[in-house]
Every structure is written in C-alpha cells, then in structure tokens.
Amino acid sequence: MAARPNAGTKGVPRADREREILRIASTAFGTDGFAATGVADVAHAAGISKTLVYSYFGSKEGLHAACLAEAGGLLATEIERVARDGSAGVERGVRTLAAMFAVLDDRRHVWRLLRDRTAPQDGPAAEVVAQYAARIEALAREGVLELLGGAGITDDLDVSAMVRTWLGIVDSFMDWWVAHPDQDAAEMTQRVTRLIAALVSDHTRRVAAPTPREQDAAP
Amino acid sequence: MAARPNAGTKGVPRADREREILRIASTAFGTDGFAATGVADVAHAAGISKTLVYSYFGSKEGLHAACLAEAGGLLATEIERVARDGSAGVERGVRTLAAMFAVLDDRRHVWRLLRDRTAPQDGPAAEVVAQYAARIEALAREGVLELLGGAGITDDLDVSAMVRTWLGIVDSFMDWWVAHPDQDAAEMTQRVTRLIAALVSDHTRRVAAPTPREQDAAP
DNA sequence: CTGCGGTAACTTACCCGACGGTCATATCGC
DNA sequence: GCGATATGACCGTCGGGTAAGTTACCGCAG
C-alpha cells in the first residue's frame, strides 16, 4: 500500500522514519520477545524494506539496543522521579506503579522490553539493558529496604527475594494491562491502589507457618 | 563415552530411557524456554541421537506435550490438595507455596514449563497446557475470591487482575529459588512466610491514592 | 552348538524452510 | 550527472524433520 515499489519516499525525514521504526520494533520486541521477532516483520510493518532497517541500525541487536535505550531511559527517569518524592513502603510502590501507568499508557509493551528472557545475554545491547535494569532494580531495592526494615527484616537474601517479587508484581500488572486495552492509566492506578490495600489488610486470618506435614508430600 | 558408535544399548529398558529424556527435556524447556531449546541439544544431553527422540515422541511439540502433562499433573494435583485443607486468604497462599516448594525441591524448573511464553499458542501441546493452566488458575481464583471478598471487593476485573498478580508472585519466588540452588524447600517456606507477613502488615504508612499530579508526567 | 533370517533399536546423512545479513542495482532531489 | 536513499535478489546458517542404512538381539532349523 504505502510505498509503491521504489517510490523514493524521500519526503519523510530520516529522523521521523527512524522513530517510527523504533516504535514498531519496540511493540514487536515487547509483544513477542526478541527471539520471536524477525527483522523482516518489523520492516514489513513499517512499510519499508529489511535492508533499510539494517542501514539504519546495523543489525538486529543494534535495533534492539536502540529500543532498549529509549525504553530504559524513559522508565528509569520516571522511577527515579518517584523515588525522590519522599513516599515509603507500600505507598511508594503504589506511587511508582501509578507513575508508570501514566508514562506507558500508549506504549504498554515497553515494560516487557527490559525483562525479556529471550534477549541475548551478552553483546552491546545486553550491556545497555543491564545498565538500566540495574538502575531500576537499585530503586526497587531501596523501596524494599524501607518496607522490610519497618518489619525488622534486614537479611540480604530476604531483600533480594522481595525485590524479585516486587518486580514480578509490576510485571503482572503490566501484563494484565496489556490484556485489557480498554483500561486507562487512571483506572489502573485506582485498581492497583484498591488491590494492594486489600492485600495489605488481610481480613481473613493471621499468617501462620504451614504445618510441617506439608514437607512430605509428592506421590 | 556412553554409546560408542552403534553400541546397541538395548540393556536400558525403553521406559526408563523415555523417563530420562523427559527429565532432561523438562529441564531444558523450563530453563531456556520452548523456542530456545533444540531437539538436538536434548538428544545430546541424553547421550542419544536426535532421530531417536523423534521416534519416541513424534515431534518437538510431542516431546513438549509429554513434559507438560507430567508437570501439569504434578502441580495441579498438589495445589488441589492444599485447596481442600480449609485454609483461606493469605494463609492459603503461603500454604500453597510451601506445598509447591516441597514437591519441586529437586525439579525447580518445572513451574516455568507451564508459564512459558515462547511455547506455541495452539496445537495439541497447547491444549494440554491450557487445561492444566486453567485448573491452576481456577484454584488461584478461588483463593483470590476469598481474600478479596473479605475486603469487600467482588469486581470481576479486580479479581482477574489479582489472580494474575498472585501467579506472578509465585513466578517470582520460583525464579529466585532457581537462582539460589543452595536454598532448600523448608528454608524457602520460612522465607516466604516471613516476607508475606511483613508485606501484609506494613509498618511504614497507610496506603493512599497517589496525587493526581502523577498523571501529567512523561517528558 | 552353529549358522541364519527377522525385527527392533539406533545412527548417519540428508532435505527444507526460516531468518540474519549483504550486494548490485534502481530511483529521486539537486 | 551525482550522491543519498531505498530495494529485490541472494547467501550462509541453524534447526525441525525424514530416509536409509547399521548393529544387536532373538528364535529356530540342522
């Protein structure tokens, strides 16, 4: 459709076209994962030839790195902003989620870009993502330390497990949001606030250690 | 080593060999994901040829389906057992986690088998996994309904988001466990109990809705 | 016991489609 | 005409899947 063969689409400035490719590639990488996304697919979706993508970004990894740099900068900046506003504990978590919903309302797939297990574990792109992931995780750790410190927990392993869990909670809400496109950022914020409040004040029972009998299960 | 060329390893009964292949394949699928796992890799790890794997399981999907059937049966059975013991709310969640730690102590990768996004979304194997995933999710929903019901929340979307979140929490603990092989099931159970107790009784502040200013962020 | 054919287990060597990546060529603005 | 921009056609590799051949075991006739 767009792009009759060799029409010479020079009218479109290169920078704009790069941004569009980046947007499409981010969506694809974030939706299907790095491994399952083909450069040809991205090019086709952008109405452009595969070769042109390579001339812009050098390689599949280069394209991926560009997407990650954009996504990582966006998210890390925003999370750092919330970190400075002085909230703490569970409230800080909710505020962080709210900020991310606001920023990602029209690019919900972006969160998954930084947490894609199919992405290569080394190479230049991996270093980019590792850097941003480290920043984000450091902020998460900060929040978790406050939260657990209030409960008298300072053990390193406890903290690292809780950080992992917090990131998993964010993952889950993002996944749910992607699966419910009609929900806007404000609705999500309210929902998350409501749910976390309900979780924090469990009305059912006290938490008790499970019976030791739980250990000898397994048929 | 084993298997000098065409040594005729008939001494090993077929059923045992199938079980061994299944064990190795489960580890591989659970660790690297369906897409990133090659049949040749599995065969090599089992000390046999790729063709033999095909003669046993028909296809890569067939092998995958066999792994999933085993894993799904194990997990669904165990979760259902806990569901019948009468606990509720957060306590039921902790008990479920404890049971899963006990069952999966020496096969920690198995949980990820059922939650692999790189697995094909249709085909016979997908139906197997969908069935078990549905059973597990139904039980999770049951628990979430109790928990949220106690807080006066019955909205369907709230429930579905909370189910997703709970599964994400399980994912996170399992991931952390895989990354910390020295931790045994009993230690994990204690840790999870401690962490969830800390989360549920937040000592820092009340949860409050974030300021509306949070909405107009994004540089 | 020995030789022999049948069969099940197993492997080597190959096919083929998909995908990352490259090159010669064609078009457009100036 | 020239340089920048863009492309269709092509290559190498990798991985799922298959065909044909090889080995080992078993029952049995002599």
Side-chain angles (χ1 to χ4, degrees):
Chain A
M1 228 66 347
R4 57 195 183 279
N6 264 352
T9 356
K10 253 202 198 146
V12 182
R14 169 167 172 155
D16 287 0
R17 180 157 292 186
E18 275 192 19
R19 260 197 300 278
E20 192 196 346
I21 297 176
L22 229 52
R23 213 201 63 232
I24 292 172
S26 289
T27 306
F29 283 140
T31 305
D32 302 330
F34 178 82
T37 300
V39 177
D41 304 340
V42 173
H44 183 80
I48 226 175
S49 83
K50 194 174 61 164
T51 317
L52 190 53
V53 175
Y54 275 92
S55 88
Y56 283 175
F57 298 99
S59 68
K60 187 184 181 183
E61 281 213 21
L63 176 61
H64 191 225
C67 293
L68 289 173
E70 203 190 15
L74 191 68
L75 291 174
T77 302
E78 191 60 15
I79 297 177
E80 273 160 6
R81 204 176 65 82
V82 175
R84 281 193 305 270
D85 86 351
S87 53
V90 171
E91 184 182 347
R92 171 169 170 173
V94 174
R95 275 178 197 260
T96 303
L97 276 168
M100 312 236 325
F101 292 146
V103 177
L104 299 183
D105 202 353
D106 53 351
R107 348 174 56 188
R108 307 185 180 183
H109 48 272
V110 161
W111 173 256
R112 294 210 53 215
L113 271 183
L114 296 194
R115 323 216 3 106
D116 179 6
R117 303 179 84 120
T118 73
Q121 298 297 323
D122 47 6
E127 290 173 24
V128 174
V129 70
Q131 205 173 333
Y132 286 117
R135 271 170 77 187
I136 292 179
E137 187 169 323
L139 292 165
R141 181 174 300 270
E142 209 180 288
V144 165
L145 274 175
E146 291 169 5
L147 176 66
L148 292 187
I153 295 178
T154 56
D155 179 65
D156 268 359
L157 290 176
D158 279 352
V159 170
S160 93
M162 197 68 179
V163 167
R164 187 68 199 73
T165 304
W166 166 249
L167 293 175
I169 290 175
V170 178
D171 288 354
S172 303
F173 279 123
M174 288 294 168
D175 281 352
W176 189 90
W177 197 22
V178 167
H180 294 79
D182 54 306
Q183 303 286 310
D184 66 20
E187 287 171 308
M188 280 303 289
T189 300
Q190 287 169 24
R191 190 179 306 281
V192 163
T193 306
R194 205 183 316 142
L195 290 178
I196 292 191
L199 180 65
V200 165
S201 58
D202 176 25
H203 288 279
T204 50
R205 239 174 256 206
R206 272 308 73 197
V207 176
T211 65
R213 208 176 324 109
E214 219 77 57
Q215 296 301 341
D216 47 51
Chain B
M1 234 41 9
R4 57 190 183 283
N6 267 351
T9 356
K10 252 202 199 145
V12 181
R14 169 167 173 155
D16 288 358
R17 179 156 293 184
E18 276 192 20
R19 259 197 301 277
E20 191 196 346
I21 297 176
L22 230 53
R23 212 201 64 231
I24 292 172
S26 289
T27 306
F29 283 142
T31 306
D32 302 329
F34 177 82
T37 300
V39 177
D41 303 340
V42 173
H44 183 79
I48 63 178
S49 80
K50 195 174 60 163
T51 315
L52 189 54
V53 175
Y54 275 92
S55 90
Y56 282 175
F57 298 99
S59 67
K60 186 184 181 183
E61 282 212 21
L63 176 60
H64 191 225
C67 293
L68 289 173
E70 204 190 15
L74 191 69
L75 291 174
T77 303
E78 191 60 16
I79 297 178
E80 271 160 7
R81 205 176 65 80
V82 174
R84 282 194 303 270
D85 84 353
S87 53
V90 171
E91 184 182 348
R92 171 169 170 174
V94 173
R95 275 178 197 262
T96 304
L97 276 167
M100 311 236 326
F101 293 145
V103 178
L104 300 183
D105 202 354
D106 54 351
R107 347 174 58 191
R108 308 187 180 182
H109 49 271
V110 161
W111 173 257
R112 294 212 54 215
L113 270 183
L114 295 194
R115 320 217 3 107
D116 180 5
R117 304 181 83 119
T118 74
Q121 298 298 323
D122 47 6
E127 288 172 25
V128 174
V129 70
Q131 204 172 332
Y132 287 116
R135 270 171 79 188
I136 293 178
E137 186 169 324
L139 292 165
R141 180 175 301 269
E142 208 180 290
V144 165
L145 274 175
E146 291 169 5
L147 176 65
L148 292 186
I153 294 177
T154 57
D155 179 65
D156 267 0
L157 290 177
D158 279 351
V159 170
S160 93
M162 198 68 179
V163 167
R164 187 68 198 72
T165 304
W166 166 248
L167 293 175
I169 290 174
V170 178
D171 287 355
S172 304
F173 280 123
M174 288 294 168
D175 280 353
W176 189 90
W177 198 22
V178 168
H180 294 79
D182 54 307
Q183 304 287 310
D184 68 19
E187 287 171 309
M188 280 304 288
T189 299
Q190 288 170 24
R191 190 180 305 283
V192 162
T193 307
R194 205 184 315 143
L195 290 178
I196 292 191
L199 180 66
V200 165
S201 58
D202 176 25
H203 288 281
T204 51
R205 240 174 254 205
R206 272 308 72 198
V207 176
T211 64
R213 209 175 324 109
E214 219 77 57
Q215 296 302 340
D216 46 52

